Amino acid sequence: VADYLKKCEEKKAEIIGNWSILAQKVNDSFKVDADMKPKGRTAGYFTRINAFIKKKEESFSFTPTQFDSINSVIDDGKDPIKVVLTDKDYKKYAEVLKQDRFDVAFREFANSYTSNLKSYLSIKAIISYAVYLPVLVEIHSLVRNRLIERNELLLSDINHLLSGMIGDSDAPFIYEKIGTQIQHYLLDEFQDTS
């Protein structure tokens, strides 16, 4: 478990490091005149992007609207400059940002973010719940010992047991093989699946 958690931490650090580098490229390519400070919708994106640069994990999530916009850059091929800037700012700064390759940098960041987000969130959840693993292992051990003592099976064990008994045999032999190995069985709480 410790080795697995170490690999998770390393993968998480790799994802964050990559996002940080790409976010810095986005920030560096946003070169407009000194009067232009991100505001409104634009400020929201740059607040998040700066969190990536500073590796502030608590701010790594975009709002649902921002996330949909980022996805539209990747999935629908929308212009990243048009997505990030307000209409007024777009008219004023689009050409400058294209020359500075803001659109390329933002698209690269958006692609990395959307493609790695699921892995990042999964790893983060694994790490945060890792403290409970020893408890779960102990519970599993106690349950297994109790089942062995009482010569019982869990319903979830039956598929594995049947698969081992039947092997590659045809369906008519299932009942014959089971009948020779099991003398008594009780199946309880089967649900109607129709």
Side-chain angles (χ1 to χ4, degrees):
V1 173
D3 288 341
Y4 180 73
L5 289 175
K6 183 179 177 188
K7 287 179 183 177
C8 285
E9 287 285 359
E10 289 168 357
K11 181 63 178 174
K12 182 177 149 196
E14 177 187 324
I15 292 170
I16 291 170
N18 188 38
W19 283 346
S20 180
I21 291 166
L22 295 174
Q24 187 64 57
K25 284 183 182 179
V26 170
N27 212 29
D28 291 347
S29 65
F30 194 76
K31 296 176 187 163
V32 290
D33 64 44
D35 296 333
M36 172 60 173
K37 291 183 180 172
K39 56 188 172 291
R41 180 172 70 199
T42 309
Y45 285 100
F46 279 90
T47 298
R48 296 299 197 279
I49 286 172
N50 281 315
F52 283 93
I53 294 168
K54 295 174 183 172
K55 299 181 181 179
K56 291 185 177 178
E57 284 190 66
E58 67 279 359
S59 303
F60 276 6
S61 61
F62 288 91
T63 66
T65 304
Q66 290 170 331
F67 188 73
D68 288 345
S69 298
I70 290 170
N71 275 336
S72 73
V73 168
I74 302 304
D75 296 341
D76 305 330
K78 287 193 177 177
D79 178 3
I81 299 170
K82 188 104 175 140
V83 167
V84 172
L85 297 181
T86 61
D87 291 337
K88 179 183 170 190
D89 288 339
Y90 182 82
K91 290 175 186 170
K92 190 172 180 183
Y93 298 108
E95 286 307 313
V96 173
L97 290 175
K98 283 181 184 175
Q99 288 172 2
D100 290 336
R101 301 184 51 82
F102 172 83
D103 53 336
V104 174
F106 191 87
R107 190 177 304 280
E108 192 177 357
F109 172 79
N111 190 39
S112 177
Y113 182 73
T114 56
S115 64
N116 288 299
L117 182 62
K118 193 179 208 178
S119 293
Y120 168 75
L121 293 174
S122 296
I123 289 168
K124 191 174 173 183
I126 288 168
I127 292 167
S128 68
Y129 290 109
V131 296
Y132 302 110
L133 285 176
V135 174
L136 293 174
V137 168
E138 183 64 24
I139 290 170
H140 180 265
S141 175
L142 291 171
V143 168
R144 284 289 156 202
N145 289 340
R146 177 73 179 210
L147 290 170
I148 290 168
E149 286 172 11
R150 297 177 69 181
N151 197 25
E152 296 176 347
L153 294 171
L154 293 175
L155 190 58
S156 58
D157 295 330
I158 291 176
N159 282 342
H160 181 70
L161 178 70
L162 289 176
S163 177
M165 287 180 187
I166 297 165
D168 295 330
S169 300
D170 294 333
F173 296 103
I174 293 173
Y175 299 107
E176 179 184 333
K177 286 189 175 190
I178 292 174
T180 61
Q181 293 182 22
I182 298 177
Q183 295 172 355
H184 305 285
Y185 56 93
L186 170 67
L187 301 176
D188 188 17
E189 296 192 29
F190 270 96
Q191 302 293 322
D192 182 10
T193 58
S194 62

mmCIF file of all heavy atoms in Angstrom, residues 120-130:
data_model
loop_
_atom_site.group_PDB
_atom_site.id
_atom_site.type_symbol
_atom_site.label_atom_id
_atom_site.label_comp_id
_atom_site.label_asym_id
_atom_site.label_seq_id
_atom_site.Cartn_x
_atom_site.Cartn_y
_atom_site.Cartn_z
ATOM 1 N N TYR A 120 -6.344 13.101 -11.839
ATOM 2 C CA TYR A 120 -5.978 13.939 -10.694
ATOM 3 C C TYR A 120 -6.986 13.781 -9.547
ATOM 4 O O TYR A 120 -6.604 13.565 -8.399
ATOM 5 C CB TYR A 120 -5.887 15.402 -11.124
ATOM 6 C CG TYR A 120 -5.808 16.359 -9.963
ATOM 7 C CD1 TYR A 120 -4.642 16.502 -9.231
ATOM 8 C CD2 TYR A 120 -6.919 17.096 -9.583
ATOM 9 C CE1 TYR A 120 -4.577 17.357 -8.141
ATOM 10 C CE2 TYR A 120 -6.864 17.962 -8.500
ATOM 11 C CZ TYR A 120 -5.696 18.090 -7.790
ATOM 12 O OH TYR A 120 -5.638 18.932 -6.713
ATOM 13 N N LEU A 121 -8.280 13.863 -9.866
ATOM 14 C CA LEU A 121 -9.309 13.758 -8.834
ATOM 15 C C LEU A 121 -9.334 12.356 -8.216
ATOM 16 O O LEU A 121 -9.532 12.211 -7.005
ATOM 17 C CB LEU A 121 -10.678 14.120 -9.402
ATOM 18 C CG LEU A 121 -10.851 15.584 -9.816
ATOM 19 C CD1 LEU A 121 -12.197 15.798 -10.491
ATOM 20 C CD2 LEU A 121 -10.681 16.522 -8.629
ATOM 21 N N SER A 122 -9.116 11.331 -9.040
ATOM 22 C CA SER A 122 -9.069 9.965 -8.518
ATOM 23 C C SER A 122 -7.897 9.786 -7.562
ATOM 24 O O SER A 122 -8.046 9.217 -6.474
ATOM 25 C CB SER A 122 -8.950 8.958 -9.671
ATOM 26 O OG SER A 122 -10.089 8.999 -10.478
ATOM 27 N N ILE A 123 -6.734 10.253 -7.969
ATOM 28 C CA ILE A 123 -5.545 10.142 -7.122
ATOM 29 C C ILE A 123 -5.739 10.918 -5.822
ATOM 30 O O ILE A 123 -5.408 10.440 -4.739
ATOM 31 C CB ILE A 123 -4.294 10.633 -7.881
ATOM 32 C CG1 ILE A 123 -3.929 9.634 -8.981
ATOM 33 C CG2 ILE A 123 -3.120 10.852 -6.936
ATOM 34 C CD1 ILE A 123 -2.901 10.149 -9.966
ATOM 35 N N LYS A 124 -6.310 12.094 -5.930
ATOM 36 C CA LYS A 124 -6.550 12.916 -4.739
ATOM 37 C C LYS A 124 -7.489 12.191 -3.764
ATOM 38 O O LYS A 124 -7.254 12.185 -2.553
ATOM 39 C CB LYS A 124 -7.141 14.255 -5.177
ATOM 40 C CG LYS A 124 -7.199 15.289 -4.106
ATOM 41 C CD LYS A 124 -7.659 16.611 -4.678
ATOM 42 C CE LYS A 124 -7.888 17.608 -3.568
ATOM 43 N NZ LYS A 124 -8.396 18.877 -4.047
ATOM 44 N N ALA A 125 -8.527 11.531 -4.306
ATOM 45 C CA ALA A 125 -9.460 10.781 -3.459
ATOM 46 C C ALA A 125 -8.771 9.575 -2.822
ATOM 47 O O ALA A 125 -8.956 9.301 -1.633
ATOM 48 C CB ALA A 125 -10.666 10.333 -4.271
ATOM 49 N N ILE A 126 -7.973 8.860 -3.607
ATOM 50 C CA ILE A 126 -7.254 7.693 -3.073
ATOM 51 C C ILE A 126 -6.363 8.115 -1.908
ATOM 52 O O ILE A 126 -6.366 7.482 -0.846
ATOM 53 C CB ILE A 126 -6.409 7.017 -4.181
ATOM 54 C CG1 ILE A 126 -7.323 6.296 -5.171
ATOM 55 C CG2 ILE A 126 -5.391 6.052 -3.587
ATOM 56 C CD1 ILE A 126 -6.630 5.856 -6.444
ATOM 57 N N ILE A 127 -5.626 9.185 -2.108
ATOM 58 C CA ILE A 127 -4.708 9.652 -1.065
ATOM 59 C C ILE A 127 -5.478 10.100 0.184
ATOM 60 O O ILE A 127 -5.096 9.780 1.309
ATOM 61 C CB ILE A 127 -3.799 10.779 -1.601
ATOM 62 C CG1 ILE A 127 -2.835 10.194 -2.649
ATOM 63 C CG2 ILE A 127 -3.041 11.467 -0.481
ATOM 64 C CD1 ILE A 127 -2.100 11.238 -3.470
ATOM 65 N N SER A 128 -6.583 10.803 -0.034
ATOM 66 C CA SER A 128 -7.319 11.315 1.129
ATOM 67 C C SER A 128 -8.005 10.208 1.925
ATOM 68 O O SER A 128 -8.205 10.344 3.133
ATOM 69 C CB SER A 128 -8.331 12.376 0.700
ATOM 70 O OG SER A 128 -9.367 11.799 -0.057
ATOM 71 N N TYR A 129 -8.363 9.095 1.253
ATOM 72 C CA TYR A 129 -9.028 8.002 1.968
ATOM 73 C C TYR A 129 -8.067 6.884 2.366
ATOM 74 O O TYR A 129 -8.493 5.882 2.945
ATOM 75 C CB TYR A 129 -10.177 7.436 1.123
ATOM 76 C CG TYR A 129 -11.330 8.397 1.011
ATOM 77 C CD1 TYR A 129 -11.621 9.045 -0.177
ATOM 78 C CD2 TYR A 129 -12.122 8.685 2.119
ATOM 79 C CE1 TYR A 129 -12.668 9.949 -0.273
ATOM 80 C CE2 TYR A 129 -13.179 9.577 2.037
ATOM 81 C CZ TYR A 129 -13.446 10.200 0.847
ATOM 82 O OH TYR A 129 -14.474 11.086 0.765
ATOM 83 N N ALA A 130 -6.805 7.039 2.074
ATOM 84 C CA ALA A 130 -5.821 5.998 2.385
ATOM 85 C C ALA A 130 -5.737 5.702 3.878
ATOM 86 O O ALA A 130 -5.422 4.574 4.260
ATOM 87 C CB ALA A 130 -4.449 6.390 1.847
#
